[in-house]
PDB file of all heavy atoms in Angstrom:
ATOM      1  N   ASN A  30      -3.566   3.173  12.788  1.00 89.00           N
ATOM      2  CA  ASN A  30      -4.335   1.954  13.251  1.00 89.00           C
ATOM      3  C   ASN A  30      -5.749   2.310  13.736  1.00 89.00           C
ATOM      4  O   ASN A  30      -6.665   1.476  13.530  1.00 89.00           O
ATOM      5  CB  ASN A  30      -3.575   1.271  14.368  1.00 89.00           C
ATOM      6  CG  ASN A  30      -2.289   0.586  13.850  1.00 89.00           C
ATOM      7  OD1 ASN A  30      -2.145   0.232  12.702  1.00 89.00           O
ATOM      8  ND2 ASN A  30      -1.322   0.402  14.778  1.00 89.00           N
ATOM      9  N   ALA A  31      -5.900   3.443  14.370  1.00 90.00           N
ATOM     10  CA  ALA A  31      -7.247   3.816  14.818  1.00 90.00           C
ATOM     11  C   ALA A  31      -8.174   4.048  13.682  1.00 90.00           C
ATOM     12  O   ALA A  31      -9.404   3.819  13.842  1.00 90.00           O
ATOM     13  CB  ALA A  31      -7.135   5.090  15.673  1.00 90.00           C
ATOM     14  N   LYS A  32      -7.708   4.471  12.533  1.00 93.00           N
ATOM     15  CA  LYS A  32      -8.576   4.608  11.364  1.00 93.00           C
ATOM     16  C   LYS A  32      -8.502   3.509  10.357  1.00 93.00           C
ATOM     17  O   LYS A  32      -9.184   3.598   9.321  1.00 93.00           O
ATOM     18  CB  LYS A  32      -8.119   5.933  10.651  1.00 93.00           C
ATOM     19  CG  LYS A  32      -8.321   7.198  11.468  1.00 93.00           C
ATOM     20  CD  LYS A  32      -7.912   8.429  10.701  1.00 93.00           C
ATOM     21  CE  LYS A  32      -8.132   9.697  11.517  1.00 93.00           C
ATOM     22  NZ  LYS A  32      -7.746  10.964  10.775  1.00 93.00           N
ATOM     23  N   ASN A  33      -7.752   2.433  10.685  1.00 94.00           N
ATOM     24  CA  ASN A  33      -7.553   1.321   9.766  1.00 94.00           C
ATOM     25  C   ASN A  33      -7.195   1.773   8.401  1.00 94.00           C
ATOM     26  O   ASN A  33      -7.687   1.262   7.367  1.00 94.00           O
ATOM     27  CB  ASN A  33      -8.844   0.493   9.761  1.00 94.00           C
ATOM     28  CG  ASN A  33      -9.178  -0.073  11.065  1.00 94.00           C
ATOM     29  OD1 ASN A  33      -8.318  -0.488  11.825  1.00 94.00           O
ATOM     30  ND2 ASN A  33     -10.435  -0.243  11.311  1.00 94.00           N
ATOM     31  N   THR A  34      -6.209   2.698   8.363  1.00 96.00           N
ATOM     32  CA  THR A  34      -5.832   3.301   7.118  1.00 96.00           C
ATOM     33  C   THR A  34      -4.338   3.296   6.877  1.00 96.00           C
ATOM     34  O   THR A  34      -3.563   3.590   7.800  1.00 96.00           O
ATOM     35  CB  THR A  34      -6.336   4.692   7.001  1.00 96.00           C
ATOM     36  OG1 THR A  34      -7.763   4.740   7.111  1.00 96.00           O
ATOM     37  CG2 THR A  34      -6.018   5.338   5.676  1.00 96.00           C
ATOM     38  N   LEU A  35      -3.890   2.913   5.745  1.00 97.00           N
ATOM     39  CA  LEU A  35      -2.504   2.971   5.261  1.00 97.00           C
ATOM     40  C   LEU A  35      -2.336   4.133   4.330  1.00 97.00           C
ATOM     41  O   LEU A  35      -3.243   4.475   3.544  1.00 97.00           O
ATOM     42  CB  LEU A  35      -2.241   1.648   4.547  1.00 97.00           C
ATOM     43  CG  LEU A  35      -0.779   1.516   3.997  1.00 97.00           C
ATOM     44  CD1 LEU A  35       0.204   1.228   5.085  1.00 97.00           C
ATOM     45  CD2 LEU A  35      -0.735   0.402   2.938  1.00 97.00           C
ATOM     46  N   TYR A  36      -1.173   4.787   4.467  1.00 98.00           N
ATOM     47  CA  TYR A  36      -0.907   5.942   3.641  1.00 98.00           C
ATOM     48  C   TYR A  36       0.420   5.798   2.880  1.00 98.00           C
ATOM     49  O   TYR A  36       1.324   5.091   3.320  1.00 98.00           O
ATOM     50  CB  TYR A  36      -0.796   7.210   4.528  1.00 98.00           C
ATOM     51  CG  TYR A  36      -1.982   7.496   5.357  1.00 98.00           C
ATOM     52  CD1 TYR A  36      -2.078   7.134   6.701  1.00 98.00           C
ATOM     53  CD2 TYR A  36      -3.109   8.176   4.776  1.00 98.00           C
ATOM     54  CE1 TYR A  36      -3.196   7.427   7.465  1.00 98.00           C
ATOM     55  CE2 TYR A  36      -4.213   8.469   5.560  1.00 98.00           C
ATOM     56  CZ  TYR A  36      -4.250   8.087   6.854  1.00 98.00           C
ATOM     57  OH  TYR A  36      -5.382   8.332   7.634  1.00 98.00           O
ATOM     58  N   LEU A  37       0.468   6.488   1.821  1.00 98.00           N
ATOM     59  CA  LEU A  37       1.770   6.710   1.126  1.00 98.00           C
ATOM     60  C   LEU A  37       1.842   8.134   0.759  1.00 98.00           C
ATOM     61  O   LEU A  37       1.171   8.699  -0.160  1.00 98.00           O
ATOM     62  CB  LEU A  37       1.780   5.827  -0.181  1.00 98.00           C
ATOM     63  CG  LEU A  37       3.148   5.844  -0.900  1.00 98.00           C
ATOM     64  CD1 LEU A  37       4.244   5.233  -0.088  1.00 98.00           C
ATOM     65  CD2 LEU A  37       3.022   5.219  -2.298  1.00 98.00           C
ATOM     66  N   GLN A  38       2.749   8.808   1.436  1.00 98.00           N
ATOM     67  CA  GLN A  38       3.017  10.233   1.154  1.00 98.00           C
ATOM     68  C   GLN A  38       4.083  10.249   0.054  1.00 98.00           C
ATOM     69  O   GLN A  38       5.184   9.697   0.197  1.00 98.00           O
ATOM     70  CB  GLN A  38       3.507  10.972   2.381  1.00 98.00           C
ATOM     71  CG  GLN A  38       3.836  12.424   2.092  1.00 98.00           C
ATOM     72  CD  GLN A  38       2.699  13.294   1.735  1.00 98.00           C
ATOM     73  OE1 GLN A  38       1.675  13.211   2.392  1.00 98.00           O
ATOM     74  NE2 GLN A  38       2.832  14.067   0.722  1.00 98.00           N
ATOM     75  N   MET A  39       3.761  10.903  -1.047  1.00 98.00           N
ATOM     76  CA  MET A  39       4.629  10.927  -2.224  1.00 98.00           C
ATOM     77  C   MET A  39       5.071  12.429  -2.473  1.00 98.00           C
ATOM     78  O   MET A  39       4.192  13.238  -2.824  1.00 98.00           O
ATOM     79  CB  MET A  39       4.023  10.274  -3.454  1.00 98.00           C
ATOM     80  CG  MET A  39       3.591   8.864  -3.244  1.00 98.00           C
ATOM     81  SD  MET A  39       2.897   8.100  -4.770  1.00 98.00           S
ATOM     82  CE  MET A  39       1.445   9.156  -5.044  1.00 98.00           C
ATOM     83  N   ASN A  40       6.337  12.645  -2.341  1.00 98.00           N
ATOM     84  CA  ASN A  40       6.840  14.035  -2.595  1.00 98.00           C
ATOM     85  C   ASN A  40       7.804  13.961  -3.726  1.00 98.00           C
ATOM     86  O   ASN A  40       8.339  12.927  -4.159  1.00 98.00           O
ATOM     87  CB  ASN A  40       7.542  14.554  -1.345  1.00 98.00           C
ATOM     88  CG  ASN A  40       6.588  14.680  -0.178  1.00 98.00           C
ATOM     89  OD1 ASN A  40       5.443  14.993  -0.282  1.00 98.00           O
ATOM     90  ND2 ASN A  40       7.167  14.430   1.038  1.00 98.00           N
ATOM     91  N   SER A  41       8.081  15.117  -4.286  1.00 98.00           N
ATOM     92  CA  SER A  41       9.082  15.272  -5.399  1.00 98.00           C
ATOM     93  C   SER A  41       8.789  14.284  -6.508  1.00 98.00           C
ATOM     94  O   SER A  41       9.653  13.559  -6.972  1.00 98.00           O
ATOM     95  CB  SER A  41      10.486  15.122  -4.832  1.00 98.00           C
ATOM     96  OG  SER A  41      10.786  16.042  -3.835  1.00 98.00           O
ATOM     97  N   LEU A  42       7.561  14.225  -6.868  1.00 98.00           N
ATOM     98  CA  LEU A  42       7.090  13.248  -7.840  1.00 98.00           C
ATOM     99  C   LEU A  42       7.723  13.444  -9.221  1.00 98.00           C
ATOM    100  O   LEU A  42       7.976  14.594  -9.632  1.00 98.00           O
ATOM    101  CB  LEU A  42       5.586  13.245  -8.001  1.00 98.00           C
ATOM    102  CG  LEU A  42       4.880  12.554  -6.863  1.00 98.00           C
ATOM    103  CD1 LEU A  42       3.415  12.947  -6.787  1.00 98.00           C
ATOM    104  CD2 LEU A  42       4.966  11.031  -7.002  1.00 98.00           C
ATOM    105  N   LYS A  43       8.037  12.363  -9.875  1.00 98.00           N
ATOM    106  CA  LYS A  43       8.667  12.355 -11.162  1.00 98.00           C
ATOM    107  C   LYS A  43       7.762  11.655 -12.210  1.00 98.00           C
ATOM    108  O   LYS A  43       6.944  10.832 -11.796  1.00 98.00           O
ATOM    109  CB  LYS A  43      10.027  11.608 -11.079  1.00 98.00           C
ATOM    110  CG  LYS A  43      10.975  12.122 -10.116  1.00 98.00           C
ATOM    111  CD  LYS A  43      12.240  11.251  -9.944  1.00 98.00           C
ATOM    112  CE  LYS A  43      13.187  11.767  -8.969  1.00 98.00           C
ATOM    113  NZ  LYS A  43      14.400  10.900  -8.842  1.00 98.00           N
ATOM    114  N   PRO A  44       7.904  11.970 -13.501  1.00 98.00           N
ATOM    115  CA  PRO A  44       7.100  11.264 -14.509  1.00 98.00           C
ATOM    116  C   PRO A  44       7.189   9.840 -14.396  1.00 98.00           C
ATOM    117  O   PRO A  44       6.185   9.109 -14.647  1.00 98.00           O
ATOM    118  CB  PRO A  44       7.617  11.856 -15.762  1.00 98.00           C
ATOM    119  CG  PRO A  44       8.149  13.196 -15.460  1.00 98.00           C
ATOM    120  CD  PRO A  44       8.714  13.033 -14.070  1.00 98.00           C
ATOM    121  N   GLU A  45       8.307   9.252 -14.050  1.00 97.00           N
ATOM    122  CA  GLU A  45       8.491   7.824 -13.936  1.00 97.00           C
ATOM    123  C   GLU A  45       7.756   7.224 -12.770  1.00 97.00           C
ATOM    124  O   GLU A  45       7.676   5.976 -12.620  1.00 97.00           O
ATOM    125  CB  GLU A  45      10.019   7.417 -13.878  1.00 97.00           C
ATOM    126  CG  GLU A  45      10.762   8.173 -12.863  1.00 97.00           C
ATOM    127  CD  GLU A  45      11.539   9.407 -13.517  1.00 97.00           C
ATOM    128  OE1 GLU A  45      10.904  10.124 -14.272  1.00 97.00           O
ATOM    129  OE2 GLU A  45      12.756   9.545 -13.267  1.00 97.00           O
ATOM    130  N   ASP A  46       7.143   8.056 -11.891  1.00 98.00           N
ATOM    131  CA  ASP A  46       6.326   7.514 -10.877  1.00 98.00           C
ATOM    132  C   ASP A  46       4.878   7.267 -11.350  1.00 98.00           C
ATOM    133  O   ASP A  46       4.047   6.728 -10.599  1.00 98.00           O
ATOM    134  CB  ASP A  46       6.231   8.574  -9.687  1.00 98.00           C
ATOM    135  CG  ASP A  46       7.558   8.687  -9.004  1.00 98.00           C
ATOM    136  OD1 ASP A  46       8.315   7.751  -8.746  1.00 98.00           O
ATOM    137  OD2 ASP A  46       7.899   9.854  -8.654  1.00 98.00           O
ATOM    138  N   THR A  47       4.581   7.635 -12.558  1.00 98.00           N
ATOM    139  CA  THR A  47       3.296   7.444 -13.090  1.00 98.00           C
ATOM    140  C   THR A  47       2.951   5.987 -13.136  1.00 98.00           C
ATOM    141  O   THR A  47       3.713   5.139 -13.745  1.00 98.00           O
ATOM    142  CB  THR A  47       3.155   8.045 -14.517  1.00 98.00           C
ATOM    143  OG1 THR A  47       3.362   9.485 -14.396  1.00 98.00           O
ATOM    144  CG2 THR A  47       1.851   7.704 -15.156  1.00 98.00           C
ATOM    145  N   ALA A  48       1.859   5.576 -12.551  1.00 98.00           N
ATOM    146  CA  ALA A  48       1.494   4.196 -12.468  1.00 98.00           C
ATOM    147  C   ALA A  48       0.096   4.084 -11.770  1.00 98.00           C
ATOM    148  O   ALA A  48      -0.394   5.046 -11.207  1.00 98.00           O
ATOM    149  CB  ALA A  48       2.562   3.358 -11.726  1.00 98.00           C
ATOM    150  N   VAL A  49      -0.435   2.885 -11.824  1.00 98.00           N
ATOM    151  CA  VAL A  49      -1.572   2.569 -10.943  1.00 98.00           C
ATOM    152  C   VAL A  49      -0.925   2.021  -9.675  1.00 98.00           C
ATOM    153  O   VAL A  49      -0.089   1.097  -9.689  1.00 98.00           O
ATOM    154  CB  VAL A  49      -2.514   1.493 -11.564  1.00 98.00           C
ATOM    155  CG1 VAL A  49      -3.601   1.152 -10.562  1.00 98.00           C
ATOM    156  CG2 VAL A  49      -3.069   2.052 -12.876  1.00 98.00           C
ATOM    157  N   TYR A  50      -1.356   2.629  -8.585  1.00 98.00           N
ATOM    158  CA  TYR A  50      -0.834   2.259  -7.246  1.00 98.00           C
ATOM    159  C   TYR A  50      -1.797   1.364  -6.530  1.00 98.00           C
ATOM    160  O   TYR A  50      -3.006   1.712  -6.439  1.00 98.00           O
ATOM    161  CB  TYR A  50      -0.508   3.476  -6.414  1.00 98.00           C
ATOM    162  CG  TYR A  50       0.782   4.124  -6.888  1.00 98.00           C
ATOM    163  CD1 TYR A  50       0.829   4.846  -8.059  1.00 98.00           C
ATOM    164  CD2 TYR A  50       1.946   4.076  -6.062  1.00 98.00           C
ATOM    165  CE1 TYR A  50       1.995   5.462  -8.456  1.00 98.00           C
ATOM    166  CE2 TYR A  50       3.143   4.651  -6.505  1.00 98.00           C
ATOM    167  CZ  TYR A  50       3.193   5.390  -7.655  1.00 98.00           C
ATOM    168  OH  TYR A  50       4.317   5.987  -8.036  1.00 98.00           O
ATOM    169  N   TYR A  51      -1.343   0.263  -6.046  1.00 98.00           N
ATOM    170  CA  TYR A  51      -2.223  -0.771  -5.384  1.00 98.00           C
ATOM    171  C   TYR A  51      -1.795  -0.905  -3.934  1.00 98.00           C
ATOM    172  O   TYR A  51      -0.613  -0.985  -3.600  1.00 98.00           O
ATOM    173  CB  TYR A  51      -2.056  -2.124  -6.081  1.00 98.00           C
ATOM    174  CG  TYR A  51      -2.490  -2.133  -7.479  1.00 98.00           C
ATOM    175  CD1 TYR A  51      -1.609  -1.898  -8.520  1.00 98.00           C
ATOM    176  CD2 TYR A  51      -3.801  -2.383  -7.850  1.00 98.00           C
ATOM    177  CE1 TYR A  51      -2.016  -1.937  -9.865  1.00 98.00           C
ATOM    178  CE2 TYR A  51      -4.254  -2.456  -9.130  1.00 98.00           C
ATOM    179  CZ  TYR A  51      -3.320  -2.224 -10.148  1.00 98.00           C
ATOM    180  OH  TYR A  51      -3.720  -2.268 -11.453  1.00 98.00           O
ATOM    181  N   CYS A  52      -2.741  -0.966  -3.120  1.00 98.00           N
ATOM    182  CA  CYS A  52      -2.612  -1.315  -1.779  1.00 98.00           C
ATOM    183  C   CYS A  52      -2.560  -2.805  -1.544  1.00 98.00           C
ATOM    184  O   CYS A  52      -3.371  -3.522  -2.198  1.00 98.00           O
ATOM    185  CB  CYS A  52      -3.700  -0.684  -0.847  1.00 98.00           C
ATOM    186  SG  CYS A  52      -3.629  -0.974   0.911  1.00 98.00           S
ATOM    187  N   ASN A  53      -1.699  -3.310  -0.702  1.00 97.00           N
ATOM    188  CA  ASN A  53      -1.548  -4.767  -0.516  1.00 97.00           C
ATOM    189  C   ASN A  53      -1.528  -5.068   1.013  1.00 97.00           C
ATOM    190  O   ASN A  53      -0.910  -4.308   1.816  1.00 97.00           O
ATOM    191  CB  ASN A  53      -0.326  -5.262  -1.207  1.00 97.00           C
ATOM    192  CG  ASN A  53       0.005  -6.659  -0.721  1.00 97.00           C
ATOM    193  OD1 ASN A  53       0.882  -6.852   0.166  1.00 97.00           O
ATOM    194  ND2 ASN A  53      -0.528  -7.676  -1.375  1.00 97.00           N
ATOM    195  N   ALA A  54      -2.125  -6.109   1.335  1.00 96.00           N
ATOM    196  CA  ALA A  54      -2.071  -6.660   2.718  1.00 96.00           C
ATOM    197  C   ALA A  54      -1.684  -8.148   2.647  1.00 96.00           C
ATOM    198  O   ALA A  54      -2.299  -8.863   1.867  1.00 96.00           O
ATOM    199  CB  ALA A  54      -3.301  -6.411   3.466  1.00 96.00           C
ATOM    200  N   HIS A  55      -0.731  -8.558   3.405  1.00 95.00           N
ATOM    201  CA  HIS A  55      -0.346  -9.933   3.458  1.00 95.00           C
ATOM    202  C   HIS A  55      -0.738 -10.593   4.757  1.00 95.00           C
ATOM    203  O   HIS A  55      -0.596  -9.964   5.811  1.00 95.00           O
ATOM    204  CB  HIS A  55       1.152 -10.068   3.248  1.00 95.00           C
ATOM    205  CG  HIS A  55       1.596 -11.531   3.248  1.00 95.00           C
ATOM    206  ND1 HIS A  55       2.113 -12.114   4.404  1.00 95.00           N
ATOM    207  CD2 HIS A  55       1.591 -12.452   2.251  1.00 95.00           C
ATOM    208  CE1 HIS A  55       2.395 -13.386   4.103  1.00 95.00           C
ATOM    209  NE2 HIS A  55       2.101 -13.571   2.901  1.00 95.00           N
ATOM    210  N   SER A  56      -1.214 -11.789   4.662  1.00 93.00           N
ATOM    211  CA  SER A  56      -1.590 -12.501   5.843  1.00 93.00           C
ATOM    212  C   SER A  56      -1.079 -13.905   5.786  1.00 93.00           C
ATOM    213  O   SER A  56      -1.169 -14.630   4.693  1.00 93.00           O
ATOM    214  CB  SER A  56      -3.092 -12.594   6.042  1.00 93.00           C
ATOM    215  OG  SER A  56      -3.490 -13.418   7.114  1.00 93.00           O
ATOM    216  N   SER A  57      -0.515 -14.453   6.838  1.00 90.00           N
ATOM    217  CA  SER A  57      -0.085 -15.834   6.989  1.00 90.00           C
ATOM    218  C   SER A  57      -1.027 -16.615   7.941  1.00 90.00           C
ATOM    219  O   SER A  57      -0.695 -17.690   8.336  1.00 90.00           O
ATOM    220  CB  SER A  57       1.338 -15.917   7.478  1.00 90.00           C
ATOM    221  OG  SER A  57       1.534 -15.322   8.694  1.00 90.00           O
ATOM    222  N   TYR A  58      -2.132 -15.997   8.242  1.00 89.00           N
ATOM    223  CA  TYR A  58      -3.065 -16.663   9.139  1.00 89.00           C
ATOM    224  C   TYR A  58      -3.804 -17.715   8.409  1.00 89.00           C
ATOM    225  O   TYR A  58      -4.520 -17.469   7.484  1.00 89.00           O
ATOM    226  CB  TYR A  58      -4.068 -15.658   9.707  1.00 89.00           C
ATOM    227  CG  TYR A  58      -5.170 -16.127  10.621  1.00 89.00           C
ATOM    228  CD1 TYR A  58      -4.809 -16.599  11.841  1.00 89.00           C
ATOM    229  CD2 TYR A  58      -6.453 -16.211  10.208  1.00 89.00           C
ATOM    230  CE1 TYR A  58      -5.788 -17.134  12.699  1.00 89.00           C
ATOM    231  CE2 TYR A  58      -7.456 -16.680  11.046  1.00 89.00           C
ATOM    232  CZ  TYR A  58      -7.122 -17.164  12.317  1.00 89.00           C
ATOM    233  OH  TYR A  58      -8.109 -17.661  13.144  1.00 89.00           O
ATOM    234  N   ARG A  59      -3.602 -18.968   8.872  1.00 90.00           N
ATOM    235  CA  ARG A  59      -4.256 -20.158   8.275  1.00 90.00           C
ATOM    236  C   ARG A  59      -3.984 -20.269   6.781  1.00 90.00           C
ATOM    237  O   ARG A  59      -4.879 -20.651   6.025  1.00 90.00           O
ATOM    238  CB  ARG A  59      -5.748 -20.152   8.568  1.00 90.00           C
ATOM    239  CG  ARG A  59      -6.127 -20.275  10.068  1.00 90.00           C
ATOM    240  CD  ARG A  59      -7.610 -20.376  10.264  1.00 90.00           C
ATOM    241  NE  ARG A  59      -7.945 -20.623  11.679  1.00 90.00           N
ATOM    242  CZ  ARG A  59      -9.102 -20.784  12.156  1.00 90.00           C
ATOM    243  NH1 ARG A  59     -10.092 -20.745  11.325  1.00 90.00           N
ATOM    244  NH2 ARG A  59      -9.311 -20.939  13.483  1.00 90.00           N
ATOM    245  N   GLY A  60      -2.757 -19.948   6.417  1.00 91.00           N
ATOM    246  CA  GLY A  60      -2.411 -19.961   5.002  1.00 91.00           C
ATOM    247  C   GLY A  60      -1.440 -18.903   4.663  1.00 91.00           C
ATOM    248  O   GLY A  60      -0.674 -18.434   5.442  1.00 91.00           O
ATOM    249  N   ASP A  61      -1.535 -18.525   3.403  1.00 93.00           N
ATOM    250  CA  ASP A  61      -0.628 -17.469   2.927  1.00 93.00           C
ATOM    251  C   ASP A  61      -1.459 -16.679   1.873  1.00 93.00           C
ATOM    252  O   ASP A  61      -1.704 -17.133   0.748  1.00 93.00           O
ATOM    253  CB  ASP A  61       0.576 -18.108   2.237  1.00 93.00           C
ATOM    254  CG  ASP A  61       1.631 -17.075   1.875  1.00 93.00           C
ATOM    255  OD1 ASP A  61       1.512 -15.914   2.205  1.00 93.00           O
ATOM    256  OD2 ASP A  61       2.700 -17.476   1.382  1.00 93.00           O
ATOM    257  N   TYR A  62      -1.815 -15.465   2.239  1.00 94.00           N
ATOM    258  CA  TYR A  62      -2.805 -14.708   1.397  1.00 94.00           C
ATOM    259  C   TYR A  62      -2.265 -13.326   1.149  1.00 94.00           C
ATOM    260  O   TYR A  62      -1.604 -12.697   1.982  1.00 94.00           O
ATOM    261  CB  TYR A  62      -4.165 -14.571   2.116  1.00 94.00           C
ATOM    262  CG  TYR A  62      -4.696 -15.904   2.464  1.00 94.00           C
ATOM    263  CD1 TYR A  62      -4.588 -16.472   3.759  1.00 94.00           C
ATOM    264  CD2 TYR A  62      -5.599 -16.546   1.553  1.00 94.00           C
ATOM    265  CE1 TYR A  62      -5.225 -17.688   4.020  1.00 94.00           C
ATOM    266  CE2 TYR A  62      -6.141 -17.747   1.880  1.00 94.00           C
ATOM    267  CZ  TYR A  62      -6.017 -18.329   3.091  1.00 94.00           C
ATOM    268  OH  TYR A  62      -6.578 -19.510   3.369  1.00 94.00           O
TER     269      TYR A  62
END
């Protein structure tokens, strides 16, 4: 939180993990975003 950063540590990677990885944030503040 201090760095405003989200992480995904990925170990034991497999070929089927190959993809474009997207970060997502959801907000329900004054709507649904």
Side-chain angles (χ1 to χ4, degrees):
N30 290 334
K32 297 181 179 179
N33 297 325
T34 301
L35 180 75
Y36 302 99
L37 184 68
Q38 178 66 47
M39 304 186 294
N40 299 325
S41 302
L42 283 161
K43 304 175 180 179
E45 49 263 47
D46 296 318
T47 295
V49 177
Y50 283 71
Y51 297 91
C52 181
N53 167 265
H55 181 263
S56 175
S57 59
Y58 179 69
R59 295 185 176 182
D61 192 0
Y62 302 96

